[in-house]
Amino acid sequence: MLKDACGDRTELRRQVDALDAIAQQIDRDVDHLVWELRPTALDDLGLRAALANYVQDWSKRVSIAAELHTSGLLDHRLASDAETTLYRIAQEALSNVAKHSRAQNVEVILDRRADSVLLIVEDDGVGFDPVGGSAGEGFGLRGMQERAALVGATVQIESAPGKGTTVLVRMAAGAPASHPAAHA
């Protein structure tokens, strides 16, 4: 609206553009800082419950239907860094859905198997070309891949224009962590 209100005043438009650039950089910086912090909900509730709360709150906030499906995480907690990584990747994937996908529905699946843990975030949105498009070059996707690599996990992005997007994270299960809150 401010840009439109500038009309022919080039100097004012330049200042508004500069403010816009600063606001976008602040948004990216805050996202990055938040990304680096470990949510206390993980310590208090564990990954399954913390992610369930986040998905429910996110769905209400952005008005996109979202469901979390979990299996195999009832008896044991994952290592702290693994839980943080999966939680943050889920947050970033959902943030990307809200910003870019125009999806109506999102499924989040967290599945612990004997040898691996899978996190899948799948939307029915507009999708993108993960190879040729600029969406594959964004901080969000790159950040997910870098964070996953730190704990030996892999991230696969499956998408096509008009076909939605799936983010698949696969990590070795490893030994369960002992958390006092895990059996409370």
Side-chain angles (χ1 to χ4, degrees):
M1 285 179 14
L2 281 175
K3 287 180 184 181
D4 291 340
C6 290
D8 294 338
R9 296 179 288 184
T10 2
E11 179 59 24
L12 184 57
R13 188 179 219 13
R14 187 186 64 71
Q15 290 175 345
V16 170
D17 287 341
L19 285 173
D20 183 42
I22 291 168
Q24 288 182 24
Q25 183 60 48
I26 290 171
D27 182 48
R28 286 189 298 272
D29 291 347
V30 169
D31 281 350
H32 182 71
L33 288 171
V34 169
W35 174 267
E36 293 300 319
L37 299 173
R38 177 174 167 85
T40 56
L42 286 175
D43 292 326
D44 298 342
L45 305 172
L47 178 60
R48 187 174 52 88
L51 196 53
N53 289 341
Y54 183 81
V55 169
Q56 182 179 22
D57 291 345
W58 176 88
S59 179
K60 287 178 186 172
R61 185 170 30 91
V62 300
S63 300
I64 298 174
E67 288 190 39
L68 173 68
H69 307 279
T70 64
S71 64
L73 287 167
L74 297 176
D75 297 329
H76 300 285
R77 298 275 302 267
L78 300 173
S80 175
D81 59 343
E83 286 188 349
T84 301
T85 296
L86 292 171
Y87 186 84
R88 290 299 186 206
I89 290 173
Q91 282 183 307
E92 185 61 37
L94 290 171
S95 176
N96 287 345
V97 169
K99 289 178 185 175
H100 307 294
S101 78
R102 298 195 300 256
Q104 299 297 310
N105 300 286
V106 178
E107 299 289 326
V108 179
I109 301 162
L110 184 61
D111 182 20
R112 182 179 182 146
R113 298 174 179 183
D115 61 341
S116 63
V117 178
L118 300 176
L119 170 68
I120 301 166
V121 180
E122 186 171 43
D123 71 62
D124 64 356
V126 297
F128 66 98
D129 179 358
V131 176
S134 61
E137 300 168 9
F139 173 76
L141 297 179
R142 213 175 28 248
M144 284 189 271
Q145 291 167 333
E146 290 171 1
R147 185 171 283 274
L150 291 174
V151 294
T154 59
V155 177
Q156 288 178 267
I157 309 293
E158 299 173 2
S159 188
K163 304 288 185 186
T165 300
T166 300
V167 175
L168 169 64
V169 182
R170 185 183 313 271
M171 144 185 331
S178 60
H179 291 274
H183 300 290

